[in-house]
Amino acid sequence: MSERIVVTGMGVVTPIGSTVGTFWSALLSGHCGVRDIDGFDVSDLGTRFAGQVDDVDYHPLVPARVRRRVDRFVAMALAAAVQAAGQSGLDEKVDPARLGVCVGTSAGPLATNAEASAALAVGGAHELRRRLPYLAASGSMGGAAAEIARALDARGPSLTVSTECSSGANAIGLATALLRARVADVMVCGASDATVTRLSMASMSIVGALSERNDAPSRACRPFDADRDGFVLGEGSAMLVLETETHARRRGVQPLAEVLGFGAATDIAHATAPDADGRGAVAAMRAALVDADLESASIDLFSAHATGTRLNDPVELDAFRAVFADDAPSIPIYGIKPLTGHTVAAAGAIEAVALILSLREGVVPATANCDDPIDQELDIVRGENRRITARRGMSTSFGFGGQCAALVLAASSGLDDTGATSSRGGGVA
């Protein structure tokens, strides 16, 4: 039997909160982090709003000397990783050679490379040297993994995963596989994306992916709703500390949750659109169940990708029905993107944190803006939060290019009577 893999720490940076506690409170209160963009010119864009991060106190998490030389996606990743490491209580009991990092990102240092291109065009190599002397490192996709490894003295594997919107889930799945293979004892894993840029907004608009509800940004993302018209771009990061159960027990740390299964597949149908039959999504979900050695009836809660696009939503629900069959109508479904925006690579990691919190706290946050569901038979949690008793949940992530991933997670059984964890660093604050 393979080693059990447990979650011992979590950290987030999102448009609705930059600690796990504030993030969770915002989800339960229905606070929306989507607002008009004011950081760059959007006058010629069809969509002029996004889910934006603006309340990160980097000072205690990311040293100023590091913040000055790294891209925004790196700073958010590092802030989330330091939070997660703090909750996990990583200390001298962790062998640095057995501590690894795995970070997902779709586009890496977009802002840094855009600035570099502008500097080179305006003033040539001299101007580039003056403004971005660390570009060789700061302009790298692997920058977040490298900075996290350096900050945490992680000398095991350091990896970067880029599979578009499934990057976060794939990073967690890859980290789980490395732990099971005994390549490491502890992995800090998750994803980060800072894609709210003029280039990203323009390119997503061109393919017709974004909602254009400029008069009502907080109502723009409408998962599974008949009136949906596209997703809302967001940014953020989430990191988890995973370790073998044996290692966590040796450290005396109480797990928050367990990673039971992971599955991935590619539907190869189209560069941006999902396969109409949802074959990749179905394959990923079934693979995750096989990996967890579970039947579909064992899943109590479903965290959907739920982007609010015309094409993805019905395909996702059809795939859900195909996998869960007769059990499908009885499994609560929810999605958090109306509040956070679609944080692209970070979505799977942020939603894994949300799923763990739902399982631990026994509360499912309502899916905002789903007023007229396209499938009236399925149990989409909407209108208000719901109290539940759930042990296991599945989270799905689907990226451009048909890159599909699914995670099966379980709440830790090691809770006291109040539902709080005894892990060093506390529960969700």
Side-chain angles (χ1 to χ4, degrees):
M1 182 176 180
S2 63
E3 177 82 78
R4 295 175 66 183
I5 306 304
V6 297
V7 181
T8 59
M10 302 186 295
V12 299
V13 172
T14 79
I16 60 173
S18 292
T19 67
V20 173
T22 56
F23 166 69
W24 181 237
S25 295
L27 284 181
L28 296 185
S29 68
H31 171 68
C32 181
V34 177
R35 57 180 174 80
D36 291 339
I37 294 170
D38 55 16
F40 52 87
D41 181 22
V42 294
S43 59
D44 62 337
L45 300 181
T47 299
R48 299 186 290 276
F49 56 89
Q52 299 161 86
V53 171
D54 58 9
D55 67 342
V56 186
D57 183 4
Y58 286 112
H59 176 69
L61 303 173
V62 183
R65 59 181 172 75
V66 174
R67 181 71 187 91
R68 283 193 296 268
R69 64 176 171 77
V70 301
D71 186 84
R72 182 174 171 78
F73 104 96
V74 174
M76 291 193 295
L78 187 52
V82 172
Q83 291 177 49
Q87 184 179 38
S88 181
L90 297 183
D91 54 21
E92 69 280 354
K93 293 181 181 178
V94 178
D95 179 358
R98 303 285 298 169
L99 171 60
V101 179
C102 187
V103 179
T105 186
S106 73
L110 273 178
T112 294
N113 286 331
E115 183 183 357
S117 295
L120 195 62
V122 171
H126 175 76
E127 181 65 10
L128 182 62
R129 181 192 299 273
R130 186 185 72 81
R131 288 171 55 178
L132 293 162
Y134 298 105
L135 180 63
S138 63
S140 164
M141 293 279 283
E147 291 293 341
I148 292 169
R150 188 175 295 112
L152 302 181
D153 192 28
R155 299 169 186 265
S158 178
L159 306 169
T160 298
V161 175
S162 187
T163 55
E164 303 296 341
C165 307
S166 60
S167 300
N170 278 324
I172 294 169
L174 178 56
T176 299
L178 292 172
L179 291 168
R180 286 176 175 170
R182 304 187 186 279
V183 174
D185 295 325
V186 182
M187 292 291 298
V188 178
C189 60
S192 183
D193 253 343
T195 52
V196 181
T197 67
R198 182 167 163 77
L199 176 61
S200 291
M201 295 294 294
S203 64
M204 292 294 183
S205 291
I206 289 170
V207 298
L210 298 181
S211 169
E212 295 188 350
R213 286 190 169 89
N214 292 300
D215 58 337
S218 66
R219 297 276 295 164
C221 180
R222 308 181 67 83
F224 308 130
D225 188 82
D227 196 30
R228 68 196 184 283
D229 74 327
F231 73 79
V232 175
L233 195 62
E235 61 183 359
S237 179
M239 294 292 159
L240 289 74
V241 176
L242 305 186
E243 55 191 300
T244 63
E245 183 186 39
T246 300
H247 191 269
R249 187 184 300 118
R250 189 163 62 242
R251 291 202 302 129
V253 177
Q254 178 62 56
L256 305 171
E258 182 178 356
V259 181
L260 298 179
F262 165 68
T266 309
D267 67 34
I268 67 170
H270 190 270
T272 58
D275 181 274
D277 295 325
R279 284 173 289 191
V282 169
M285 287 189 271
R286 285 178 173 162
L289 289 170
V290 170
D291 190 41
D293 194 22
L294 292 174
E295 299 295 328
S296 60
S298 299
I299 300 300
D300 307 308
L301 181 61
F302 188 79
S303 171
H305 191 53
T307 58
T309 59
R310 294 184 184 92
L311 295 178
N312 182 82
D313 283 17
V315 169
E316 181 170 13
L317 292 185
D318 287 348
F320 174 76
R321 280 185 173 278
V323 172
F324 291 95
D326 293 342
D327 298 310
S330 64
I331 301 173
I333 304 169
Y334 75 104
I336 68 171
K337 288 183 177 71
L339 304 182
T340 63
H342 187 351
T343 55
V344 199
I350 291 172
E351 288 159 15
V353 171
L355 177 56
I356 289 169
L357 294 171
S358 289
L359 294 170
R360 286 174 54 79
E361 303 297 322
V363 183
V364 183
T367 306
N369 305 333
C370 184
D371 302 328
D372 183 15
I374 56 176
D375 190 325
Q376 298 283 342
E377 294 181 357
L378 294 178
D379 185 15
I380 299 171
V381 179
R382 58 195 186 93
E384 59 184 30
N385 302 332
R386 183 185 302 176
R387 285 278 175 186
I388 61 167
T389 300
R391 170 67 180 153
R392 304 177 189 89
M394 177 180 285
S395 177
T396 55
S397 299
F398 310 126
F400 280 175
Q403 299 175 102
C404 305
L407 295 166
V408 177
L409 305 172
S412 170
S413 59
L415 303 177
D416 63 27
D417 292 339
T418 66
T421 178
S422 57
S423 172
R424 275 176 285 177
V428 300

